[in-house]
């Protein structure tokens, strides 16, 4: 009965998301040109780098977990490399870590498909800018903000602002960090639905409208127990599972640090409410 309810809620949520995306305005010609140029120059990896509109065919309703090989060490390395001794937050390390985290979200099943798709688009956009003609200005979060502010790109209709795009990833990082922490603290057979839904309510729900927040909160209640999630991520390997368990506190610590530093940075630049 619980499984059938999960399928019904998941299908309803995906249908709602597709309807939401179809209601968004189409991209401007300038945004289309920016996307086409980025793709033709081979500057993206994976999904398209557009945020104006998502066609229904772009929404992956099924993901083959056999193609995913999540490595928690890469998350730790990426976020550690993001934190420079000079105080800079380096974008390459941030994006590498986030790309790996996205594999983890995909492994959680169809409930997170819409999330992982959106994350991939945002990561790809920033990768595109990093590899593009202005890539030298996108080496760190600080340099990106300074460049876009000086060139009036924060609210540009010609291209998606990198600073705005990263702010959305930053907000998601608070939720993902908390989720990993809850998994680590939970007992083997503990259900994660309630704590995950409550965590969402304290984090990402603040930036979502009431309907979306209620829908996501309900979907997250269907989260399985810790054992199911860990076995799925580890692929049944006891060695991988033990390695991830030992690594998790360090990962949560560095993710929390990067989140706090980024939060302070956006606060200093008065960009936390960037639309």
């Amino acid at each position: 009965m619980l499984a059938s309810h999960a399928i019904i809620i998941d299908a309803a949520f995906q249908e709602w998301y597709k309807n939401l995306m179809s209601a968004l305005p189409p991209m401007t010609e300038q945004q289309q040109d920016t996307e086409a140029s980025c793709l033709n120059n081979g500057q993206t990896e994976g999904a398209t780098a557009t945020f104006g509109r998502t066609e229904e065919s772009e929404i992956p309703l099924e993901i083959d977990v056999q193609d995913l090989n999540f490595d928690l060490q890469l998350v730790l390395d990426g976020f550690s490399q993001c934190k420079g001794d000079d105080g800079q937050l380096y974008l390459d390390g941030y994006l590498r870590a986030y790309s790996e985290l996205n594999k983890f979200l995909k492994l959680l099943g169809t409930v997170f498909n819409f999330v992982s798709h959106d994350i991939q688009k945002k990561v790809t956009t920033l990768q595109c800018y990093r590899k593009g003609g202005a890539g030298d200005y996108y080496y760190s979060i600080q340099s990106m903000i300074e460049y876009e502010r000086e060139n009036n790109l924060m609210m540009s209709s010609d291209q998606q602002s990198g600073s705005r795009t990263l702010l959305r990833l930053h907000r998601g990082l608070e939720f993902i960090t908390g989720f990993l922490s809850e998994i680590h603290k939970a007992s083997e057979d503990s259900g994660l639905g309630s704590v995950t839904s409550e965590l969402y309510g304290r984090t990402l729900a603040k930036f979502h409208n009431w309907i979306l927040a209620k829908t996501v909160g309900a979907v997250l209640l269907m989260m399985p127990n810790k054992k199911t999630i860990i076995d799925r991520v580890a692929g049944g390997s006891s060695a991988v599972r033990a390695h991830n368990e030992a690594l998790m506190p360090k990962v949560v610590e560095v993710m929390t640090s990067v989140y706090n530093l980024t939060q302070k940075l956006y606060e200093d630049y008065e960009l936390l409410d960037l639309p």
Side-chain angles (χ1 to χ4, degrees):
M1 181 66 71
L2 183 61
S4 63
H5 285 173
I7 292 173
I8 292 172
I9 291 178
D10 186 30
F13 187 66
Q14 290 182 11
E15 183 63 26
W16 171 87
Y17 183 71
K18 286 191 281 187
N19 290 338
L20 172 66
M21 290 297 101
S22 64
L24 292 176
M27 291 184 292
T28 65
E29 292 184 3
Q30 293 94 330
Q31 289 173 328
Q32 291 174 348
D33 291 341
T34 298
E35 176 190 5
S37 176
C38 184
L39 291 171
N40 291 336
N41 291 333
Q43 296 171 339
T44 61
E45 301 174 6
T48 60
T50 172
F51 289 79
R53 178 170 179 163
T54 301
E55 300 295 342
E56 290 189 9
S57 61
E58 291 182 319
I59 299 176
L61 299 184
E62 295 184 4
I63 295 176
D64 187 357
V65 298
Q66 300 297 327
D67 295 334
L68 300 175
N69 185 22
F70 173 64
D71 190 339
L72 195 60
Q73 183 68 53
L74 295 180
V75 177
L76 176 61
D77 292 345
F79 282 123
S80 297
Q81 293 161 6
C82 172
K83 297 169 56 181
D85 294 335
D86 55 0
Q88 295 288 312
L89 292 171
Y90 290 101
L91 201 55
D92 291 340
Y94 189 99
L95 296 178
R96 281 195 299 270
Y98 226 119
S99 293
E100 198 64 24
L101 277 178
N102 205 27
K103 293 181 183 179
F104 168 72
L105 295 178
K106 291 177 182 178
L107 285 168
L108 296 180
T110 55
V111 167
F112 279 91
N113 278 7
F114 84 101
V115 177
S116 61
H117 181 63
D118 194 47
I119 287 175
Q120 181 60 62
K121 286 167 58 180
K122 288 175 169 57
V123 168
T124 300
T125 293
L126 293 171
Q127 289 172 334
C128 176
Y129 293 164
R130 181 73 179 103
K131 297 174 183 178
D136 289 345
Y137 297 104
Y138 286 83
Y139 71 88
S140 73
I141 299 177
Q142 290 95 326
S143 65
M144 173 178 66
I145 291 175
E146 289 287 350
Y147 170 72
E148 292 194 340
R149 191 166 66 169
E150 291 174 3
N151 290 275
N152 299 315
L153 297 175
M154 294 288 187
M155 304 296 293
S156 173
S157 61
D158 295 339
Q159 70 175 46
Q160 180 68 44
S161 163
S163 303
R164 180 183 182 277
T165 300
L166 190 130
L167 178 60
R168 271 56 183 174
L169 291 177
H170 168 67
R171 291 170 177 172
L173 187 62
E174 182 181 20
F175 170 77
I176 300 172
T177 303
F179 182 54
L180 291 178
S181 178
E182 292 295 341
I183 291 176
H184 183 66
K185 292 185 297 183
S187 60
E188 188 81 355
D189 296 321
S190 294
L192 293 168
S194 294
V195 295
T196 305
S197 183
E198 291 170 4
L199 174 64
Y200 167 76
R202 298 193 304 269
T203 57
L204 281 174
K206 296 181 295 186
F207 309 105
H208 296 160
N209 63 48
W210 185 87
I211 296 177
L212 176 57
K214 288 296 182 181
T215 305
V216 174
V219 170
L220 292 177
L221 287 173
M222 299 299 174
M223 191 69 61
N225 60 26
K226 174 178 178 175
K227 184 179 184 304
T228 300
I229 292 177
I230 295 301
D231 287 345
R232 190 175 180 86
V233 171
S237 170
S238 58
V240 172
R241 175 172 180 156
H243 174 71
N244 287 345
E245 284 284 350
L247 210 60
M248 190 66 78
K250 296 180 181 178
V251 173
V252 171
E253 180 181 4
V254 72
M255 288 174 65
T256 300
S257 176
V258 169
Y259 173 83
N260 289 337
L261 290 170
T262 307
Q263 180 77 4
K264 181 64 166 58
L265 180 64
Y266 270 77
E267 181 181 349
D268 290 344
Y269 279 100
E270 298 181 345
L271 294 175
L272 286 174
D273 297 320
L274 190 62

